[in-house]
Amino acid sequence: MINKSVFTALSLVFLCTALSAQEKIKEVVTSNYNRNSVSMVCVQRGDSYDSQVSSAVRSFSLGDKYDINNITTKSVRLDKVRSESAYQTEIDGIVNRVGFAREILASIFNRDSNGMMDDKTVRYRGNYDAKDQDVINARASRVGTEALGDLGHGLVSGSYIVLTDFSKISRDVDTRGNVTWSTNAQAFVYQIGMDRDALNDFYEQCWIYDEDDQATRSAKRLAFQNLDIPMVPVAQANATGASSSVEAAANMCIRELITKLENRIPAWEVAVAVIGKRPLRAKIGTKEGLKNGDRYRAYSYTEDRGGNLKSVARGYLRATEISSNTGMAIGETEPSKFYQISGLANIDEGWTIKQTNDWKVGVLAGLKAGGLGGTALGVDIDYLMNVSNVGTMSYLFLTLGLDVTSGNGNYLPVQFGLGFAYGFHLTRFLEIAPYAAIGLEHMGLSVTDSSDDRFTRESALILEPGVRVAANVAYPLQVFGKIYYDVLTIQGPLYKMYNANLAVPHSSGAGVEFGVKWTF
Amino acid sequence: MKKSLLIAALLLACQFIGWSQAKKPTIMVVPADAFCERYGYVQKVNAMGETVSSPDYSRAMKENSDIRTLVAAMADFMAKNDFPIQSLEQELKRLQTEDAEMAMMTGRSGGEVEETPLERLRRNARADIILDLDYEIHRVGPQKQVSFNLQAIDAYSSKIISGNTGVSSAANVPMTSLLEECVLSFKDNFLSGLQHYFDDLFANGREISVTFLRYDNCPFYFDDDIVIDGEDYEFGEWVEEWFQDNTVEGRFTTGASSGNRLRFTQVRIPLYAQNRKGRDVAIDADDFVKPLVRELKKKLNVTVGSSPRGLGDVWITVGDK
Amino acid sequence: MIALTLLMTFSAVSANAQNKDRRKSFKSWDNYEITTEKVGVDGTKFVKVWGFGKTVDAATMAAKENAVHACIFRGLPGSATAMSTPPICPNPNTLETHEDYFQTFFAAGGPYLAYVSMTTDGVPSGTDRRKVKGGYKVGIYVQVMYDNLKRKLEADGVARKLSSGF
């Protein structure tokens, strides 16, 4: 009996080890990327918000990165109160009822009421998606560049629908009567389950030729109506948004959802090879929706002893100068430029870089000493606005300081402000960023007083020039140090009074801050 | 053994020094029967009182531009390899003119066709290698794809020398691109097949057929015993002995034999032989049987004629010419 | 005098050793992958071929050599829409009988380069550029001027012409 249980336990351990070992097998990051086509569908709940959220979904622009399949079903109905969020199974049920795959095919092949289809869109997309390598390959082959359009048939399988559902829409009014709408949103993404064989079957069964007789035509029309092509769920994402109108809040959510989905659907992540160094260059641009500061990750490839291909993650890089490549490739696409921001090894030509979206938002937390006085906890949130070819970066940041030593329960000095930093990279590991900030230091408890100017009377205007030095530890973790000079300028009367009461009153002075930064 | 060695040495010498050259086989591209059927390029022919449909090459070549593209593409690469292709179109025209002339001369009206057009073509055009070409255009939705089947056939032995089947890319591009892609696709494989065939030709000799036909004037039947050189022989037996002595490594197969007809197939003859002046010359089926014909005439004292049917088939008529 | 003799002997030995090395590599020259991409334009073969070398450039050169080697000795495999291509010299003894010729032909910067052109856009990249033990393994797209190569070998008496003997 004991033996048996020992044996069972042992086998369980083995099983678990085997399972975890299996999980460790990493998927090889692909170096291929082809354009995808997307249709946005709004999930309606049958209430008064339907029109607003539908309009937000309809008006949302996915940019140049995706082709749009103009399907007829723009919205679906989920019978559930808005206060509850939707479940995947509920959405699955709806998607299975609507023949989305059929609608996608009808849109791609411009199917008319007689069931006639053409390949104009497919050929256009094939030509548009063709990379320089495709063009060069086509020139080397007998069928030639005329066959480039036929690459479009391969893109049919890259058709997706994104169903967006909004729930828990609420309205808040602050004391001044400002209205804020907030909403939760969920996106459910489905891909057409159609490989090349299924596409060939579709052509065979449903494609009407000019010479087909009436009987054949009706048979093919019927075959189209009876097409049973599944929509396969591929990803799901959540977001929340708040704004002055439901539509704006919904729009904000969709933007966030798409960014998240891009990180969850490998086929949506742009991947391309680095074609040159100093500066790093790659043949992507506006066609792929590339924007300044967009983050990519580099991968190189190795083979293990068994000859199995492995991808090795390397450093990160950000797009700097974006090329406009929205034309058809002719073999000489102008590359965009990039700047490497992390990684021990220099990114080399031939390596693959893959889109790895981030919010370009850095959160810095540290301890401040000096400055206006005392020791303070400091939190900065910066937003990367621009990256140049040589690695200079512009940041806009919000800063917050809490003097924990000088103040007391009633007069806690809080500093907050807005600043601009301009970072220079001596190497990719080290950034030196001179900055200037303007802000207020507030002392007192103005919340207890509703008078309008109480807050200003308790505050002082501060100017802070300084230099921030950040060094990579393990990207996205950095350590930073700041050296700055706080200038106390205009002071409110109450501020003056409270300040005078401090053990060590705040005054202009130099300060330092040390801490860590994490980029999201 | 000695003889075969000699032949081999001779062959080698010819190949590399090339002081004498074998006759170059002629090649012609002909649309396959299946292709003609599929596209309706057929004509009804009255053969032996029965109406059978047979390919109408003339129409196929005139009406189908695709096949002309294919032939042109093939002619191009064959010419580059020093094997100009005989033009089927020209050959058909020549035949037509010839028929017209014949009709005028004899005053006979047509209708008694006893050969199929292919037989007639083969007989008249005398191509040694027929390239039997078949292709089909498939439509895959908006795309087109060509599947092809090309067989090189030794016109006399009817053996397939090289077979090539495959498909083109599926694409919505002009037909000429897809057709030419097909030709380029099978080109080198096809040439390699031909090379293989020629190698075999040089190593084992040319394969021919010899048919003996007896005319009424002939004083004996082929299965009769006759006296040659003072010995009793069955005519067929004597001929077989002659073949054993004169073919490459004695290779040949005796086909159907009767009192009126003797047929020898897979007769492997050397590519070269010495002429009366002792010079090496390239020979064909007709040249090969000439010494036999001479010997028969001398030894049997009968009229013997030989009529070649191209390079690889010869009829020997005994009793008359 | 003795020194000169020694030097000569030494150089002869080392040259011999080098030749042996080269011969050795010639004999074991089989370990590479090649696939037909599509039917190439007239007279060419459009293939993807792999090569190994200490650096990416060396691997690329090796891949080019491999492509020409395949056309001459191995033949090219077919693909879904392109038939296979037979080798220009199907006789397995060709390499041995014409070893000196091929030593020169495949020498660094040798005549073989005139019959192959790389059609990879830029450098070998992505999964076509793999760091392996001892160097790199790269896959490149190349166009081999097959017909020209064949003519050249025919003209040099290494390959037989189709019409030879007639």
Side-chain angles (χ1 to χ4, degrees):
Chain A
M1 187 65 199
I2 292 171
N3 275 349
K4 199 177 176 185
S5 51
V6 168
F7 179 75
T8 316
L10 271 177
S11 12
L12 265 175
V13 170
F14 271 117
L15 190 68
C16 292
T17 326
L19 280 177
S20 65
Q22 230 172 19
E23 272 172 11
K24 273 180 194 165
I25 296 171
K26 278 188 189 165
E27 219 172 89
V28 177
V29 170
T30 169
S31 58
N32 293 329
Y33 165 76
N34 289 307
R35 289 174 65 81
N36 300 292
S37 49
V38 172
S39 315
M40 300 288 286
V41 178
C42 181
V43 179
Q44 296 187 339
R45 296 290 189 96
D47 62 13
S48 56
Y49 297 121
D50 278 352
S51 64
Q52 285 154 295
V53 292
S54 292
S55 131
V57 171
R58 213 171 29 246
S59 61
F60 183 79
S61 163
L62 280 161
D64 289 334
K65 187 177 163 186
Y66 301 93
D67 292 317
I68 306 298
N69 289 331
N70 196 12
I71 58 173
T72 41
T73 305
K74 307 263 193 230
S75 57
V76 291
R77 173 79 180 268
L78 172 67
D79 288 319
K80 197 171 185 183
V81 285
R82 188 71 75 174
S83 55
E84 288 173 32
S85 47
Y87 293 118
Q88 179 84 47
T89 45
E90 292 167 336
I91 304 295
D92 285 352
I94 295 172
V95 170
N96 287 338
R97 275 201 300 278
V98 184
F100 277 115
R102 225 172 18 243
E103 290 190 13
I104 289 171
L105 291 173
S107 153
I108 292 177
F109 294 105
N110 304 315
R111 191 170 187 272
D112 65 16
S113 51
N114 297 321
M116 299 299 284
M117 294 182 269
D118 66 50
D119 64 345
K120 280 188 193 127
T121 308
V122 165
R123 295 191 67 74
Y124 176 80
R125 287 182 184 175
N127 277 305
Y128 193 63
D129 180 58
K131 286 101 190 153
D132 280 359
Q133 183 65 65
D134 297 320
V135 175
I136 296 167
N137 282 359
R139 282 185 195 140
S141 61
R142 176 59 192 89
V143 281
T145 46
E146 278 171 322
L148 274 176
D150 290 284
L151 293 173
H153 296 273
L155 301 181
V156 174
S157 59
S159 299
Y160 297 82
I161 49 166
V162 180
L163 284 96
T164 318
D165 176 62
F166 298 90
S167 58
K168 302 191 174 103
I169 298 177
S170 63
R171 179 175 181 267
D172 288 323
V173 186
D174 69 8
T175 47
R176 290 176 192 168
N178 295 324
V179 180
T180 306
W181 290 93
S182 61
T183 176
N184 287 0
Q186 272 182 296
F188 302 88
V189 185
Y190 296 80
Q191 184 181 9
I192 192 165
M194 199 177 203
D195 58 8
R196 192 63 221 217
D197 287 344
L199 186 63
N200 283 343
D201 287 348
F202 160 73
Y203 288 147
E204 201 170 297
Q205 292 160 13
C206 309
W207 197 275
I208 300 175
Y209 301 110
D210 287 336
E211 61 272 21
D212 282 345
D213 56 25
Q214 281 310 322
T216 317
R217 280 169 190 243
S218 5
K220 285 181 175 177
R221 278 194 286 264
L222 190 67
F224 184 84
Q225 290 312 319
N226 294 335
L227 266 184
D228 184 23
I229 297 161
M231 293 302 295
V232 186
V234 286
Q236 195 257 328
N238 299 315
T240 52
S243 189
S244 55
S245 70
V246 175
E247 213 171 321
N251 197 289
M252 194 187 255
C253 287
I254 303 171
R255 201 165 297 284
E256 189 182 334
L257 288 171
I258 296 294
T259 307
K260 282 181 173 170
L261 289 171
E262 279 183 337
N263 281 353
R264 289 176 196 177
I265 305 171
W268 286 18
E269 289 169 344
V270 178
V272 68
V274 174
I275 59 149
K277 296 187 283 188
R278 290 193 207 96
L280 291 166
R281 297 183 299 277
K283 287 183 176 179
I284 47 173
T286 43
K287 196 189 265 187
E288 288 76 20
L290 187 68
K291 289 184 288 296
N292 182 286
D294 280 0
R295 192 176 70 168
Y296 277 68
R297 185 162 205 191
Y299 294 88
S300 67
Y301 293 90
T302 64
E303 270 184 18
D304 63 15
R305 281 176 186 277
N308 301 311
L309 182 67
K310 283 188 348 183
S311 51
V312 183
R314 304 288 194 148
Y316 286 90
L317 58 176
R318 287 196 189 276
T320 58
E321 201 176 301
I322 313 301
S323 84
S324 169
N325 61 347
T326 39
M328 299 290 182
I330 54 161
E332 293 154 7
T333 301
E334 195 59 39
S336 291
K337 294 172 184 163
F338 292 81
Y339 185 79
Q340 184 176 357
I341 52 167
S342 78
L344 286 176
N346 291 330
I347 292 172
D348 201 359
E349 51 185 7
W351 288 11
T352 295
I353 59 171
K354 198 169 176 71
Q355 185 181 8
T356 317
N357 285 349
D358 68 346
W359 300 108
K360 302 182 201 175
V361 170
V363 176
L364 300 89
L367 273 182
K368 289 173 149 187
L372 294 173
T375 306
L377 294 175
V379 175
D380 290 0
I381 296 170
D382 68 18
Y383 176 74
L384 178 67
M385 297 198 307
N386 186 276
V387 186
S388 80
N389 285 335
V390 289
T392 57
M393 296 182 186
S394 314
Y395 299 94
L396 199 63
F397 67 88
L398 290 169
T399 179
L400 184 75
L402 195 66
D403 187 346
V404 287
T405 52
S406 313
N408 54 46
N410 289 334
Y411 313 114
L412 191 69
V414 180
Q415 300 126 24
F416 48 88
L418 184 73
F420 176 81
Y422 194 71
F424 297 92
H425 281 86
L426 300 180
T427 72
R428 61 176 164 271
F429 304 107
L430 195 70
E431 184 190 59
I432 298 177
Y435 72 90
I438 184 165
L440 297 175
E441 180 169 62
H442 178 257
M443 283 188 217
L445 295 164
S446 53
V447 280
T448 56
D449 188 339
S450 59
S451 62
D452 277 355
D453 62 344
R454 176 74 182 257
F455 188 82
T456 40
R457 283 188 287 132
E458 285 179 349
S459 303
L461 186 70
I462 303 158
L463 299 177
E464 181 181 293
V467 176
R468 185 178 84 188
V469 179
N472 284 4
V473 179
Y475 185 85
L477 179 70
Q478 290 173 306
V479 290
F480 76 91
K482 264 187 192 177
I483 179 160
Y484 55 89
Y485 191 85
D486 281 338
V487 187
L488 194 60
T489 57
I490 310 158
Q491 300 170 39
L494 284 173
Y495 175 87
K496 264 187 193 165
M497 194 177 80
Y498 295 148
N499 193 19
N501 287 343
L502 291 180
V504 184
H506 280 183
S507 61
S508 298
V512 290
E513 180 182 355
F514 293 99
V516 291
K517 177 180 177 181
W518 187 275
T519 306
F520 293 92
Chain B
M1 186 62 199
K2 260 187 188 171
K3 197 172 178 180
S4 62
L5 271 178
L6 196 77
I7 289 169
L10 195 69
L11 288 177
L12 223 70
C14 292
Q15 272 176 44
F16 295 110
I17 305 165
W19 79 65
S20 124
Q21 289 191 313
K23 285 179 185 172
K24 212 179 256 183
T26 49
I27 298 175
M28 185 187 273
V29 186
V30 174
D33 290 5
F35 169 84
C36 293
E37 284 281 344
R38 206 178 308 121
Y39 288 86
Y41 302 126
V42 284
Q43 57 188 3
K44 301 286 177 219
V45 183
N46 189 355
M48 314 292 252
E50 257 182 71
T51 308
V52 289
S53 67
S54 74
D56 187 345
Y57 298 125
S58 232
R59 253 187 68 213
M61 296 302 285
K62 251 183 234 152
E63 292 174 15
N64 194 314
S65 61
D66 293 345
I67 200 133
R68 279 206 302 276
T69 305
L70 281 170
V71 173
M74 290 176 69
D76 177 56
F77 80 73
M78 286 309 288
K80 282 182 187 159
N81 282 282
D82 300 332
F83 279 90
I85 280 184
Q86 242 177 328
S87 162
L88 171 64
E89 246 179 323
Q90 293 306 317
E91 208 55 47
L92 288 166
K93 270 185 203 157
R94 196 177 63 76
L95 279 181
Q96 243 171 4
T97 328
E98 222 173 73
D99 280 0
E101 281 168 3
M102 289 287 283
M104 274 169 68
M105 281 168 74
T106 59
R108 276 169 56 183
S109 59
E112 278 185 35
V113 187
E114 286 170 0
E115 283 175 310
T116 67
L118 183 63
E119 276 170 354
R120 202 155 59 112
L121 186 73
R122 281 191 184 182
R123 180 170 57 80
N124 286 282
R126 301 223 161 155
D128 299 284
I129 298 170
I130 298 282
L131 304 184
D132 193 61
L133 178 69
D134 186 13
Y135 72 91
E136 209 173 338
I137 301 164
H138 305 279
R139 294 177 73 172
V140 191
Q143 294 179 303
K144 284 168 286 190
Q145 188 168 34
V146 178
S147 64
F148 60 87
N149 182 349
L150 174 78
Q151 292 183 338
I153 298 165
D154 183 335
Y156 304 107
S157 62
S158 292
K159 282 190 174 163
I160 296 171
I161 302 164
S162 160
N164 297 275
T165 54
V167 288
S168 74
S169 305
N172 186 357
V173 295
M175 264 321 280
T176 46
S177 291
L178 293 181
L179 293 169
E180 283 178 22
E181 191 196 28
C182 286
V183 173
L184 293 176
S185 180
F186 65 63
K187 179 180 97 170
D188 292 297
N189 225 9
F190 165 71
L191 287 174
S192 158
L194 271 190
Q195 181 83 62
H196 194 257
Y197 167 70
F198 292 155
D199 286 349
D200 177 64
L201 210 64
F202 286 120
N204 301 315
R206 198 187 284 286
E207 191 174 315
I208 63 158
S209 309
V210 181
T211 310
F212 285 82
L213 295 172
R214 182 187 166 275
Y215 274 85
D216 289 343
N217 304 357
C218 182
F220 57 87
Y221 285 90
F222 293 161
D223 46 7
D224 284 355
D225 279 351
I226 48 172
V227 180
I228 302 174
D229 295 337
E231 281 187 55
D232 267 4
Y233 281 102
E234 198 177 292
F235 176 75
E237 198 187 334
W238 186 84
V239 173
E240 270 187 27
E241 234 167 63
W242 190 90
F243 277 128
Q244 278 160 14
D245 292 342
N246 290 280
T247 51
V248 178
E249 292 178 3
R251 285 186 192 166
F252 69 95
T253 309
T254 312
S257 64
S258 67
N260 287 315
R261 197 165 179 271
L262 277 182
R263 184 161 165 84
F264 298 94
T265 55
Q266 294 180 316
V267 181
R268 293 292 198 143
I269 63 165
L271 294 186
Y272 308 98
Q274 289 189 333
N275 67 6
R276 280 191 223 184
K277 289 174 184 167
R279 283 195 58 177
D280 287 301
V281 288
I283 58 164
D284 61 17
D286 194 32
D287 299 328
F288 174 74
V289 297
K290 263 177 191 155
L292 173 67
V293 171
R294 268 200 304 275
E295 222 170 317
L296 285 174
K297 274 185 194 163
K298 209 164 71 186
K299 294 191 171 162
L300 300 174
N301 200 20
V302 285
T303 318
V304 182
S306 71
S307 55
R309 299 182 68 216
L311 299 178
D313 200 359
V314 63
W315 288 357
I316 298 177
T317 49
V318 188
D320 206 344
K321 277 197 178 181
Chain C
M1 189 60 201
I2 294 167
L4 190 67
T5 318
L6 270 176
L7 190 71
M8 280 176 73
T9 319
F10 178 73
S11 59
V13 166
S14 68
N16 199 19
Q18 260 182 357
N19 268 347
K20 255 188 188 164
D21 276 0
R22 182 73 185 166
R23 258 202 291 279
K24 218 168 136 191
S25 67
F26 247 56
K27 273 185 186 155
S28 61
W29 192 357
D30 246 347
N31 188 19
Y32 60 85
E33 293 162 51
I34 188 162
T35 45
T36 304
E37 277 299 304
K38 257 184 163 226
V39 175
V41 289
D42 196 4
T44 68
K45 297 292 163 189
F46 178 34
V47 296
K48 183 173 186 182
V49 61
W50 291 80
F52 171 80
K54 278 189 178 144
T55 62
V56 172
D57 286 346
T60 307
M61 286 310 281
K64 286 185 187 177
E65 277 182 44
N66 290 344
V68 178
H69 181 269
C71 287
I72 301 176
F73 302 110
R74 258 174 63 165
L76 309 171
S79 68
T81 57
M83 284 190 73
S84 61
T85 306
I88 295 171
C89 300
N91 188 338
N93 300 325
T94 313
L95 191 57
E96 270 174 37
T97 42
H98 298 93
E99 190 168 339
D100 288 342
Y101 176 85
F102 285 114
Q103 294 283 9
T104 322
F105 191 77
F106 283 112
Y112 80 93
L113 279 171
Y115 304 97
V116 59
S117 83
M118 184 165 105
T119 54
T120 287
D121 178 31
V123 291
S125 59
T127 49
D128 292 343
R129 179 197 185 100
R130 303 175 182 187
K131 180 98 183 70
V132 291
K133 203 181 162 205
Y136 285 90
K137 185 176 153 187
V138 304
I140 55 171
Y141 294 103
V142 297
Q143 225 177 349
V144 182
M145 285 41 144
Y146 185 87
D147 285 10
N148 290 353
L149 180 65
K150 199 172 167 189
R151 303 264 173 284
K152 161 84 176 157
L153 295 178
E154 283 171 357
D156 292 348
V158 179
R160 291 231 327 277
K161 277 182 87 152
L162 183 66
S163 60
S164 64
F166 290 107

